[in-house]
Amino acid sequence: MLLRDIAHARAGDKGDISNISVIAYDIDDYSMLEKHLTAERVKAHFAGVVHGEVVRYTLPHLGALNFVMQQALGGGVTRSLALDAHGKSLSGGILGIDISDWS
């Protein structure tokens, strides 16, 4: 099972910072997200892409987690040679995290 089976994501960016929100489809799944989807796990998932700090913010009333990732866009929109310089595909990338071992 993948994260996309229980949540959706939205992304934003500013300079070399990507901001991803992961929102549970069902509020009952939020506690599982909060327990297992740590900043460390997200940073490990994006190894080689995110070179700076990853900070997680919790939004329990929304059933969401927000991750702010520094040095994530190859220098930012105007400096990166990446096809997706705005980092929008990172929201799709985070949903590929395998959650089969969560319980």
Side-chain angles (χ1 to χ4, degrees):
M1 187 160 83
L2 300 177
L3 183 56
R4 70 175 43 92
D5 294 323
I6 64 166
H8 62 100
R10 298 286 296 168
D13 58 85
K14 193 65 157 182
D16 199 16
I17 301 168
S18 181
N19 179 333
I20 300 176
S21 292
V22 176
I23 307 106
Y25 290 127
D26 183 334
I27 195 70
D28 292 336
D29 290 329
Y30 174 74
S31 61
M32 185 170 37
L33 289 176
E34 186 177 29
K35 179 179 179 183
H36 296 286
L37 195 60
T38 63
E40 294 77 21
R41 183 152 188 184
V42 169
K43 184 167 173 94
H45 183 71
F46 287 117
V49 175
V50 176
H51 302 286
E53 180 181 23
V54 175
V55 177
R56 183 184 84 163
Y57 297 93
T58 60
L59 300 117
H61 295 306
L62 298 176
L65 300 173
N66 182 260
F67 297 90
V68 178
M69 304 182 300
Q70 304 285 332
Q71 299 173 12
L73 302 173
V77 175
T78 59
R79 297 188 63 207
S80 176
L81 298 177
L83 183 60
D84 179 26
H86 295 278
K88 301 299 182 211
S89 68
L90 294 180
S91 64
I94 200 169
L95 295 176
I97 291 176
D98 186 353
I99 63 168
S100 299
D101 60 344
W102 293 7
S103 54

Coordinates of all heavy atoms in Angstrom, one line a residue:
M1 N 0.8 -1.2 0.0 CA 0.0 0.0 0.0 C 0.9 1.2 0.0 O 1.9 1.3 0.7 CB -0.9 0.0 1.2 CG -1.9 1.1 1.2 SD -3.4 0.8 2.3 CE -2.8 1.3 3.8
L2 N 0.5 2.2 -0.7 CA 1.2 3.5 -0.8 C 0.5 4.6 -0.1 O -0.7 4.5 0.1 CB 1.5 3.9 -2.3 CG 2.3 2.9 -3.1 CD1 2.4 3.4 -4.5 CD2 3.7 2.7 -2.5
L3 N 1.2 5.6 0.2 CA 0.6 6.8 0.9 C -0.6 7.4 0.1 O -1.5 7.8 0.7 CB 1.7 7.9 1.1 CG 1.3 9.1 1.9 CD1 0.7 8.8 3.3 CD2 2.5 10.1 2.0
R4 N -0.5 7.3 -1.2 CA -1.6 7.9 -2.0 C -2.9 7.1 -1.8 O -3.9 7.6 -2.2 CB -1.2 7.9 -3.5 CG -1.1 6.5 -4.2 CD -0.9 6.6 -5.7 NE 0.1 7.6 -6.0 CZ 1.4 7.3 -6.2 NH1 1.9 6.1 -6.0 NH2 2.3 8.3 -6.5
D5 N -2.9 6.0 -1.2 CA -4.1 5.2 -0.9 C -4.9 5.8 0.2 O -6.1 5.6 0.3 CB -3.8 3.7 -0.6 CG -3.2 3.0 -1.8 OD1 -3.6 3.3 -3.0 OD2 -2.3 2.2 -1.6
I6 N -4.2 6.6 1.1 CA -5.0 7.2 2.2 C -4.9 8.7 2.3 O -5.5 9.3 3.2 CB -4.5 6.6 3.6 CG1 -3.0 7.0 3.9 CG2 -4.7 5.1 3.7 CD1 -2.6 6.7 5.3
A7 N -4.1 9.3 1.4 CA -3.9 10.8 1.4 C -3.7 11.4 0.1 O -3.3 10.7 -0.9 CB -2.7 11.1 2.4
H8 N -3.9 12.7 0.0 CA -3.5 13.4 -1.2 C -2.5 14.5 -0.8 O -2.3 14.7 0.4 CB -4.7 14.0 -2.0 CG -5.5 15.0 -1.2 ND1 -5.4 16.3 -1.3 CD2 -6.5 14.8 -0.2 CE1 -6.3 16.9 -0.5 NE2 -6.9 16.0 0.2
A9 N -1.9 15.2 -1.8 CA -0.9 16.2 -1.4 C -1.0 17.4 -2.3 O -1.5 17.3 -3.5 CB 0.5 15.5 -1.6
R10 N -0.5 18.5 -1.8 CA -0.4 19.8 -2.5 C 1.0 20.3 -2.3 O 1.6 20.1 -1.2 CB -1.4 20.8 -2.0 CG -2.9 20.4 -2.2 CD -3.3 20.4 -3.6 NE -3.3 21.8 -4.1 CZ -3.4 22.2 -5.3 NH1 -3.6 21.3 -6.3 NH2 -3.4 23.5 -5.6
A11 N 1.5 21.0 -3.3 CA 2.9 21.5 -3.2 C 2.9 23.0 -3.5 O 2.1 23.5 -4.3 CB 3.9 20.7 -4.1
G12 N 3.9 23.7 -3.0 CA 4.2 25.1 -3.3 C 5.7 25.3 -3.2 O 6.4 24.4 -2.8
D13 N 6.1 26.4 -3.7 CA 7.5 26.7 -3.7 C 7.8 28.2 -3.6 O 7.0 29.0 -3.9 CB 8.2 26.1 -4.9 CG 7.6 26.7 -6.2 OD1 8.1 27.8 -6.6 OD2 6.7 26.0 -6.7
K14 N 9.0 28.5 -3.1 CA 9.5 29.8 -3.0 C 11.0 29.7 -3.0 O 11.6 29.2 -2.1 CB 9.0 30.6 -1.8 CG 9.2 32.0 -1.8 CD 8.4 32.7 -2.9 CE 8.1 34.1 -2.6 NZ 7.3 34.7 -3.6
G15 N 11.6 30.2 -4.1 CA 13.1 30.1 -4.2 C 13.5 28.7 -4.3 O 13.0 27.9 -5.1
D16 N 14.3 28.3 -3.3 CA 14.9 26.9 -3.3 C 14.2 26.1 -2.2 O 14.7 25.1 -1.7 CB 16.4 26.9 -3.0 CG 17.1 25.7 -3.4 OD1 16.5 24.8 -4.1 OD2 18.2 25.5 -3.0
I17 N 13.0 26.5 -1.8 CA 12.2 25.8 -0.7 C 10.9 25.2 -1.3 O 10.2 25.9 -2.0 CB 11.8 26.8 0.4 CG1 13.1 27.4 1.0 CG2 11.0 26.1 1.4 CD1 12.8 28.6 1.9
S18 N 10.7 23.9 -1.1 CA 9.5 23.3 -1.4 C 8.7 23.0 -0.2 O 9.2 22.7 0.9 CB 9.8 21.9 -2.1 OG 8.6 21.3 -2.5
N19 N 7.4 23.2 -0.3 CA 6.4 23.1 0.8 C 5.4 22.1 0.3 O 4.7 22.3 -0.7 CB 5.8 24.5 1.0 CG 4.8 24.6 2.1 OD1 4.1 23.6 2.4 ND2 4.7 25.7 2.6
I20 N 5.3 21.0 1.0 CA 4.3 19.9 0.6 C 3.4 19.7 1.8 O 3.8 19.4 2.9 CB 5.0 18.6 0.3 CG1 5.9 18.8 -0.9 CG2 4.0 17.5 -0.1 CD1 6.7 17.6 -1.3
S21 N 2.1 19.7 1.5 CA 1.1 19.3 2.5 C 0.5 17.9 2.1 O 0.2 17.6 1.0 CB -0.1 20.3 2.5 OG 0.3 21.5 3.0
V22 N 0.4 17.0 3.1 CA -0.1 15.7 2.9 C -1.4 15.7 3.8 O -1.4 15.9 5.0 CB 0.8 14.6 3.4 CG1 0.2 13.2 3.3 CG2 2.1 14.6 2.6
I23 N -2.5 15.4 3.1 CA -3.8 15.5 3.7 C -4.5 14.2 3.7 O -4.7 13.6 2.6 CB -4.7 16.6 3.0 CG1 -4.0 17.9 2.9 CG2 -6.1 16.8 3.7 CD1 -3.5 18.3 1.6
A24 N -4.9 13.7 4.8 CA -5.6 12.4 4.9 C -7.0 12.5 4.2 O -7.7 13.5 4.4 CB -5.8 11.9 6.3
Y25 N -7.4 11.5 3.5 CA -8.7 11.5 2.9 C -9.8 11.3 4.0 O -10.8 11.9 4.0 CB -8.9 10.3 1.9 CG -8.2 10.4 0.6 CD1 -7.3 9.4 0.2 CD2 -8.3 11.5 -0.2 CE1 -6.6 9.5 -1.0 CE2 -7.6 11.6 -1.4 CZ -6.8 10.6 -1.8 OH -6.1 10.7 -3.0
D26 N -9.4 10.5 5.0 CA -10.3 10.2 6.1 C -9.6 10.7 7.4 O -8.5 10.3 7.7 CB -10.5 8.7 6.2 CG -11.5 8.3 7.3 OD1 -11.6 9.0 8.3 OD2 -12.1 7.2 7.2
I27 N -10.2 11.5 8.2 CA -9.6 12.1 9.4 C -9.1 11.0 10.3 O -8.2 11.2 11.1 CB -10.6 13.1 10.1 CG1 -9.8 14.0 11.1 CG2 -11.7 12.4 10.7 CD1 -8.9 15.0 10.5
D28 N -9.8 9.8 10.3 CA -9.3 8.7 11.2 C -7.9 8.2 10.8 O -7.3 7.6 11.7 CB -10.3 7.6 11.1 CG -11.7 7.9 11.7 OD1 -11.7 8.8 12.5 OD2 -12.7 7.3 11.3
D29 N -7.4 8.5 9.6 CA -6.1 8.1 9.3 C -5.0 9.1 9.6 O -3.8 8.8 9.5 CB -6.0 7.8 7.7 CG -6.8 6.6 7.3 OD1 -6.9 5.6 8.1 OD2 -7.3 6.6 6.2
Y30 N -5.4 10.2 10.1 CA -4.5 11.3 10.5 C -3.5 10.8 11.6 O -2.3 11.1 11.5 CB -5.2 12.6 10.9 CG -4.2 13.6 11.4 CD1 -3.4 14.3 10.6 CD2 -4.0 13.8 12.8 CE1 -2.4 15.2 11.0 CE2 -3.1 14.7 13.3 CZ -2.3 15.4 12.3 OH -1.3 16.3 12.8
S31 N -3.9 10.1 12.6 CA -3.0 9.7 13.7 C -1.9 8.8 13.1 O -0.8 8.9 13.6 CB -3.8 9.1 14.8 OG -4.5 7.9 14.4
M32 N -2.3 8.0 12.2 CA -1.3 7.1 11.5 C -0.2 7.9 10.8 O 1.0 7.7 10.8 CB -1.9 6.1 10.6 CG -1.0 5.1 10.0 SD -1.8 3.7 9.2 CE -3.2 4.4 8.4
L33 N -0.7 9.0 10.0 CA 0.2 9.9 9.3 C 1.1 10.6 10.3 O 2.3 10.6 10.1 CB -0.6 10.9 8.5 CG -1.4 10.5 7.3 CD1 -2.1 11.7 6.7 CD2 -0.4 9.9 6.3
E34 N 0.5 11.1 11.4 CA 1.3 11.8 12.3 C 2.4 11.0 13.0 O 3.5 11.4 13.2 CB 0.4 12.4 13.4 CG 1.1 13.3 14.4 CD 0.2 14.0 15.4 OE1 -0.9 13.4 15.7 OE2 0.5 15.1 15.8
K35 N 2.0 9.7 13.3 CA 3.0 8.8 13.9 C 4.1 8.4 13.0 O 5.3 8.3 13.4 CB 2.2 7.6 14.4 CG 3.1 6.5 15.1 CD 2.3 5.3 15.6 CE 3.2 4.3 16.2 NZ 2.4 3.1 16.7
H36 N 3.8 8.1 11.7 CA 4.8 7.4 10.9 C 5.5 8.3 9.8 O 6.6 8.1 9.4 CB 4.2 6.3 10.1 CG 3.7 5.2 11.1 ND1 4.6 4.3 11.7 CD2 2.5 4.8 11.5 CE1 4.0 3.4 12.4 NE2 2.7 3.7 12.3
L37 N 4.8 9.4 9.4 CA 5.3 10.2 8.4 C 6.1 11.4 9.0 O 5.6 12.5 9.2 CB 4.2 10.8 7.5 CG 4.6 11.4 6.1 CD1 5.4 10.4 5.3 CD2 3.4 11.9 5.4
T38 N 7.3 11.1 9.4 CA 8.2 12.0 10.1 C 9.0 12.8 9.1 O 9.1 12.5 7.9 CB 9.2 11.3 11.0 OG1 10.0 10.4 10.2 CG2 8.4 10.4 12.0
A39 N 9.6 13.9 9.6 CA 10.5 14.7 8.7 C 11.7 13.9 8.3 O 12.1 14.0 7.1 CB 10.9 15.9 9.5
E40 N 12.1 13.0 9.1 CA 13.3 12.1 8.8 C 12.9 11.2 7.6 O 13.7 10.9 6.7 CB 13.8 11.4 10.0 CG 14.4 12.2 11.1 CD 13.3 13.0 11.9 OE1 12.1 12.5 12.0 OE2 13.7 14.0 12.6
R41 N 11.7 10.6 7.7 CA 11.3 9.7 6.7 C 11.1 10.4 5.3 O 11.5 9.9 4.3 CB 10.0 9.0 7.1 CG 9.6 8.0 6.0 CD 8.8 6.9 6.6 NE 8.6 5.8 5.6 CZ 7.9 4.8 5.8 NH1 7.3 4.6 7.0 NH2 7.7 3.9 4.9
V42 N 10.6 11.6 5.4 CA 10.4 12.4 4.1 C 11.8 12.8 3.6 O 12.0 12.6 2.4 CB 9.5 13.6 4.4 CG1 9.5 14.6 3.2 CG2 8.1 13.2 4.7
K43 N 12.7 13.2 4.4 CA 14.0 13.5 3.9 C 14.7 12.3 3.3 O 15.3 12.4 2.2 CB 14.9 14.1 5.0 CG 16.3 14.6 4.5 CD 17.0 15.4 5.6 CE 18.4 15.7 5.1 NZ 18.5 17.0 4.4
A44 N 14.6 11.2 3.9 CA 15.2 9.9 3.4 C 14.5 9.6 2.0 O 15.2 9.1 1.1 CB 15.0 8.8 4.4
H45 N 13.2 9.8 1.9 CA 12.5 9.5 0.7 C 13.0 10.3 -0.5 O 13.1 9.9 -1.6 CB 11.0 9.7 0.9 CG 10.2 9.3 -0.3 ND1 10.0 8.0 -0.7 CD2 9.5 10.1 -1.2 CE1 9.2 8.0 -1.8 NE2 8.9 9.3 -2.1
F46 N 13.4 11.6 -0.1 CA 13.8 12.5 -1.2 C 15.4 12.7 -1.2 O 15.9 13.7 -1.6 CB 13.2 13.9 -1.0 CG 11.7 13.9 -1.4 CD1 10.7 14.2 -0.5 CD2 11.3 13.7 -2.7 CE1 9.4 14.2 -0.8 CE2 10.0 13.7 -3.1 CZ 9.0 14.0 -2.1
A47 N 16.1 11.7 -0.7 CA 17.5 11.7 -0.7 C 18.0 12.0 -2.1 O 17.5 11.4 -3.0 CB 18.1 10.4 -0.1
G48 N 19.0 12.9 -2.3 CA 19.5 13.2 -3.6 C 18.7 14.4 -4.2 O 19.2 15.0 -5.2
V49 N 17.5 14.7 -3.7 CA 16.7 15.8 -4.2 C 16.7 16.9 -3.2 O 17.0 18.1 -3.5 CB 15.3 15.4 -4.5 CG1 14.4 16.5 -4.9 CG2 15.3 14.3 -5.6
V50 N 16.4 16.6 -2.0 CA 16.4 17.6 -0.9 C 17.7 17.5 -0.1 O 18.1 16.5 0.4 CB 15.2 17.3 0.1 CG1 15.2 18.3 1.2 CG2 13.9 17.4 -0.7
H51 N 18.4 18.6 -0.2 CA 19.8 18.7 0.4 C 19.8 19.5 1.7 O 20.8 19.5 2.4 CB 20.8 19.3 -0.6 CG 20.8 18.5 -1.9 ND1 21.4 17.3 -2.0 CD2 20.3 18.8 -3.1 CE1 21.3 16.8 -3.2 NE2 20.6 17.7 -3.9
G52 N 18.7 20.1 2.1 CA 18.7 20.9 3.3 C 17.8 20.2 4.3 O 17.3 19.1 4.2
E53 N 17.4 21.0 5.3 CA 16.6 20.6 6.4 C 15.1 20.4 6.0 O 14.6 21.1 5.1 CB 16.6 21.7 7.5 CG 15.8 21.4 8.7 CD 15.8 22.6 9.8 OE1 16.1 23.7 9.4 OE2 15.6 22.3 10.9
V54 N 14.5 19.4 6.6 CA 13.1 19.2 6.4 C 12.4 19.4 7.8 O 12.8 18.8 8.8 CB 12.8 17.7 5.9 CG1 11.3 17.5 5.8 CG2 13.4 17.5 4.5
V55 N 11.4 20.3 7.8 CA 10.7 20.6 9.0 C 9.2 20.2 8.8 O 8.6 20.5 7.8 CB 10.8 22.1 9.4 CG1 9.9 22.4 10.6 CG2 12.2 22.5 9.6
R56 N 8.6 19.5 9.8 CA 7.2 19.1 9.7 C 6.4 19.9 10.6 O 6.7 20.1 11.8 CB 7.1 17.6 10.1 CG 5.7 17.1 9.9 CD 5.6 15.6 10.4 NE 5.4 15.6 11.9 CZ 5.0 14.6 12.5 NH1 4.7 13.5 11.9 NH2 4.8 14.6 13.8
Y57 N 5.2 20.3 10.1 CA 4.2 21.0 10.9 C 3.0 20.2 10.9 O 2.6 19.6 9.9 CB 3.9 22.4 10.4 CG 5.2 23.3 10.4 CD1 6.0 23.4 9.3 CD2 5.5 24.0 11.5 CE1 7.1 24.2 9.3 CE2 6.6 24.8 11.6 CZ 7.4 24.9 10.4 OH 8.6 25.7 10.5
T58 N 2.3 20.1 12.1 CA 1.1 19.3 12.2 C -0.1 20.2 12.2 O -0.1 21.3 12.7 CB 1.1 18.4 13.5 OG1 1.2 19.3 14.6 CG2 2.2 17.4 13.5
L59 N -1.2 19.7 11.5 CA -2.4 20.5 11.4 C -3.6 19.5 11.7 O -4.3 19.0 10.8 CB -2.6 21.1 10.0 CG -1.5 22.1 9.6 CD1 -0.7 21.6 8.5 CD2 -2.1 23.5 9.5
P60 N -3.7 19.1 12.9 CA -4.6 18.0 13.3 C -6.1 18.3 12.9 O -6.8 17.4 12.5 CB -4.4 17.8 14.8 CG -3.7 19.0 15.3 CD -3.0 19.6 14.1
H61 N -6.5 19.5 13.0 CA -7.9 19.8 12.7 C -8.2 19.7 11.2 O -9.4 19.6 10.8 CB -8.3 21.2 13.2 CG -8.3 21.3 14.7 ND1 -8.9 20.4 15.6 CD2 -7.6 22.2 15.5 CE1 -8.7 20.8 16.8 NE2 -7.9 21.8 16.8
L62 N -7.2 19.8 10.4 CA -7.3 19.6 9.0 C -7.0 18.2 8.5 O -7.1 17.8 7.4 CB -6.4 20.6 8.2 CG -6.7 22.1 8.5 CD1 -5.7 22.9 7.7 CD2 -8.1 22.4 8.0
G63 N -6.4 17.4 9.4 CA -6.0 16.1 9.1 C -4.8 16.1 8.2 O -4.7 15.3 7.3
A64 N -3.9 17.1 8.4 CA -2.8 17.3 7.5 C -1.5 17.5 8.2 O -1.4 17.9 9.3 CB -3.1 18.5 6.6
L65 N -0.4 17.2 7.4 CA 0.9 17.5 7.8 C 1.5 18.4 6.7 O 1.2 18.2 5.5 CB 1.8 16.2 7.9 CG 1.3 15.2 8.9 CD1 2.1 13.9 8.8 CD2 1.4 15.7 10.3
N66 N 2.4 19.3 7.1 CA 3.0 20.2 6.1 C 4.5 20.0 6.3 O 5.0 20.1 7.4 CB 2.6 21.6 6.4 CG 3.2 22.5 5.4 OD1 4.2 23.2 5.7 ND2 2.7 22.6 4.2
F67 N 5.2 19.8 5.2 CA 6.7 19.6 5.2 C 7.3 20.8 4.4 O 7.0 21.0 3.3 CB 7.1 18.3 4.6 CG 6.5 17.1 5.3 CD1 5.3 16.6 5.0 CD2 7.3 16.6 6.4 CE1 4.8 15.5 5.7 CE2 6.8 15.5 7.1 CZ 5.6 15.0 6.8
V68 N 8.2 21.5 5.1 CA 9.0 22.6 4.5 C 10.4 22.0 4.3 O 11.1 21.7 5.2 CB 9.0 23.8 5.3 CG1 9.8 24.9 4.7 CG2 7.6 24.3 5.6
M69 N 10.8 22.0 3.0 CA 12.1 21.3 2.6 C 13.0 22.4 2.0 O 12.7 23.0 1.0 CB 11.8 20.2 1.6 CG 10.8 19.2 2.2 SD 10.5 17.8 1.1 CE 9.8 18.5 -0.3
Q70 N 14.1 22.6 2.7 CA 15.1 23.6 2.3 C 16.0 22.9 1.2 O 16.3 21.7 1.2 CB 16.0 24.0 3.4 CG 15.2 24.6 4.6 CD 14.7 26.0 4.3 OE1 15.3 26.8 3.5 NE2 13.6 26.4 4.9
Q71 N 16.6 23.7 0.3 CA 17.5 23.3 -0.7 C 16.9 22.1 -1.5 O 17.5 21.1 -1.6 CB 18.9 22.9 -0.1 CG 19.5 24.1 0.6 CD 20.8 23.7 1.3 OE1 21.3 22.6 1.1 NE2 21.3 24.6 2.1
A72 N 15.7 22.3 -2.0 CA 15.0 21.2 -2.6 C 14.7 21.4 -4.1 O 14.3 20.5 -4.8 CB 13.6 21.0 -1.9
L73 N 15.1 22.5 -4.6 CA 14.7 22.8 -6.0 C 15.9 23.2 -6.9 O 15.8 24.0 -7.8 CB 13.7 23.9 -6.1 CG 12.4 23.6 -5.3 CD1 11.4 24.8 -5.3 CD2 11.7 22.4 -5.9
G74 N 17.1 22.7 -6.6 CA 18.3 23.0 -7.4 C 18.6 24.4 -7.5 O 19.1 24.9 -8.5
G75 N 18.4 25.2 -6.5 CA 18.7 26.6 -6.5 C 17.5 27.5 -6.7 O 17.5 28.7 -6.5
G76 N 16.4 26.9 -7.1 CA 15.1 27.7 -7.4 C 14.8 27.7 -8.8 O 15.5 27.2 -9.7
V77 N 13.7 28.3 -9.2 CA 13.1 28.2 -10.5 C 14.1 28.8 -11.5 O 14.3 28.2 -12.6 CB 11.8 29.0 -10.5 CG1 11.2 29.1 -12.0 CG2 10.7 28.3 -9.6
T78 N 14.7 29.9 -11.3 CA 15.5 30.6 -12.3 C 16.9 30.0 -12.4 O 17.6 30.3 -13.3 CB 15.6 32.1 -12.0 OG1 16.2 32.3 -10.7 CG2 14.3 32.7 -12.1
R79 N 17.3 29.1 -11.4 CA 18.7 28.5 -11.4 C 18.7 27.1 -11.8 O 19.8 26.6 -12.1 CB 19.3 28.8 -10.1 CG 19.5 30.2 -9.8 CD 20.3 30.5 -8.5 NE 21.6 29.9 -8.7 CZ 22.4 29.5 -7.8 NH1 21.9 29.5 -6.5 NH2 23.6 29.0 -8.0
S80 N 17.6 26.4 -11.7 CA 17.6 24.9 -11.9 C 17.5 24.5 -13.3 O 16.8 25.2 -14.1 CB 16.4 24.3 -11.1 OG 16.4 22.9 -11.3
L81 N 18.1 23.4 -13.7 CA 17.9 22.8 -15.0 C 16.9 21.7 -15.0 O 16.6 21.1 -16.0 CB 19.3 22.3 -15.5 CG 20.4 23.3 -15.7 CD1 21.7 22.6 -16.1 CD2 20.0 24.3 -16.7
A82 N 16.3 21.5 -13.8 CA 15.2 20.5 -13.7 C 14.0 20.8 -14.5 O 13.6 22.0 -14.6 CB 14.8 20.3 -12.2
L83 N 13.4 19.8 -15.1 CA 12.2 20.0 -15.9 C 11.1 20.6 -15.1 O 10.3 21.4 -15.5 CB 11.8 18.7 -16.5 CG 10.6 18.7 -17.4 CD1 10.8 19.6 -18.6 CD2 10.2 17.3 -17.9
D84 N 10.9 20.1 -13.8 CA 9.9 20.6 -12.9 C 10.6 21.5 -11.9 O 10.7 21.2 -10.7 CB 9.2 19.5 -12.2 CG 8.1 19.9 -11.3 OD1 7.6 21.0 -11.5 OD2 7.8 19.2 -10.3
A85 N 11.0 22.7 -12.3 CA 11.7 23.6 -11.4 C 10.9 24.1 -10.2 O 11.4 24.6 -9.2 CB 12.2 24.8 -12.2
H86 N 9.6 24.1 -10.4 CA 8.7 24.6 -9.3 C 8.4 23.5 -8.2 O 7.9 23.8 -7.2 CB 7.3 25.0 -9.9 CG 7.5 26.2 -10.8 ND1 7.6 27.5 -10.3 CD2 7.5 26.3 -12.1 CE1 7.7 28.3 -11.3 NE2 7.7 27.6 -12.4
G87 N 8.8 22.3 -8.4 CA 8.7 21.3 -7.4 C 7.3 20.7 -7.3 O 7.0 20.0 -6.3
K88 N 6.4 20.9 -8.2 CA 5.1 20.4 -8.1 C 5.1 18.9 -8.1 O 4.2 18.3 -7.5 CB 4.2 20.9 -9.3 CG 4.1 22.4 -9.3 CD 3.4 23.0 -8.1 CE 3.3 24.5 -8.2 NZ 3.4 25.2 -7.0
S89 N 6.0 18.3 -8.8 CA 6.0 16.8 -8.9 C 6.4 16.2 -7.6 O 6.2 15.0 -7.3 CB 6.9 16.3 -10.0 OG 8.2 16.6 -9.7
L90 N 7.0 17.0 -6.7 CA 7.4 16.5 -5.4 C 6.2 16.0 -4.6 O 6.2 15.1 -3.8 CB 8.2 17.5 -4.6 CG 9.6 17.8 -5.1 CD1 10.3 18.8 -4.3 CD2 10.4 16.6 -5.3
S91 N 5.0 16.7 -4.8 CA 3.8 16.2 -4.1 C 3.4 14.9 -4.6 O 2.9 14.0 -3.8 CB 2.7 17.3 -4.3 OG 2.2 17.3 -5.6
G92 N 3.5 14.6 -5.8 CA 3.3 13.2 -6.3 C 4.3 12.2 -5.8 O 4.0 11.1 -5.5
G93 N 5.6 12.7 -5.7 CA 6.6 11.8 -5.2 C 6.5 11.4 -3.8 O 6.7 10.2 -3.5
I94 N 6.0 12.3 -3.0 CA 5.8 11.9 -1.6 C 4.7 10.8 -1.4 O 4.8 10.0 -0.5 CB 5.5 13.1 -0.7 CG1 5.8 12.8 0.8 CG2 4.1 13.6 -0.8 CD1 5.8 14.1 1.7
L95 N 3.7 10.9 -2.3 CA 2.6 9.9 -2.2 C 3.1 8.5 -2.6 O 2.3 7.5 -2.4 CB 1.5 10.3 -3.1 CG 0.8 11.6 -2.6 CD1 -0.3 12.0 -3.6 CD2 0.2 11.5 -1.2
G96 N 4.3 8.3 -3.1 CA 4.8 7.0 -3.4 C 5.5 6.3 -2.3 O 6.0 5.2 -2.4
I97 N 5.5 6.9 -1.1 CA 6.0 6.3 0.1 C 5.2 5.0 0.4 O 4.0 5.1 0.5 CB 6.1 7.3 1.3 CG1 7.1 8.4 1.0 CG2 6.4 6.5 2.6 CD1 7.1 9.4 2.1
D98 N 6.0 3.9 0.6 CA 5.3 2.7 0.9 C 4.9 2.7 2.4 O 5.7 2.9 3.3 CB 6.3 1.5 0.7 CG 5.7 0.1 0.9 OD1 4.5 0.0 1.3 OD2 6.4 -0.8 0.6
I99 N 3.6 2.5 2.6 CA 3.1 2.5 4.0 C 2.6 1.1 4.4 O 1.9 1.0 5.4 CB 2.0 3.5 4.2 CG1 0.8 3.2 3.3 CG2 2.6 4.9 3.9 CD1 -0.4 4.1 3.7
S100 N 3.0 0.1 3.7 CA 2.6 -1.3 4.0 C 2.9 -1.8 5.4 O 2.2 -2.6 6.0 CB 3.2 -2.3 3.0 OG 2.8 -2.0 1.7
D101 N 4.0 -1.2 5.9 CA 4.5 -1.7 7.3 C 3.9 -0.8 8.4 O 4.2 -1.0 9.5 CB 6.0 -1.7 7.3 CG 6.6 -0.3 7.1 OD1 5.9 0.6 6.6 OD2 7.8 -0.2 7.4
W102 N 3.0 0.1 8.1 CA 2.4 0.9 9.1 C 1.2 0.2 9.7 O 0.5 -0.5 9.0 CB 1.8 2.2 8.5 CG 2.9 3.2 8.0 CD1 4.2 3.0 7.9 CD2 2.6 4.5 7.5 NE1 4.8 4.1 7.4 CE2 3.9 5.0 7.2 CE3 1.5 5.3 7.4 CZ2 4.0 6.3 6.6 CZ3 1.6 6.6 6.9 CH2 2.9 7.1 6.5
S103 N 1.1 0.3 11.0 CA -0.1 -0.3 11.6 C -0.4 0.4 12.9 O 0.2 1.2 13.4 CB 0.1 -1.8 11.9 OG 1.3 -2.0 12.6

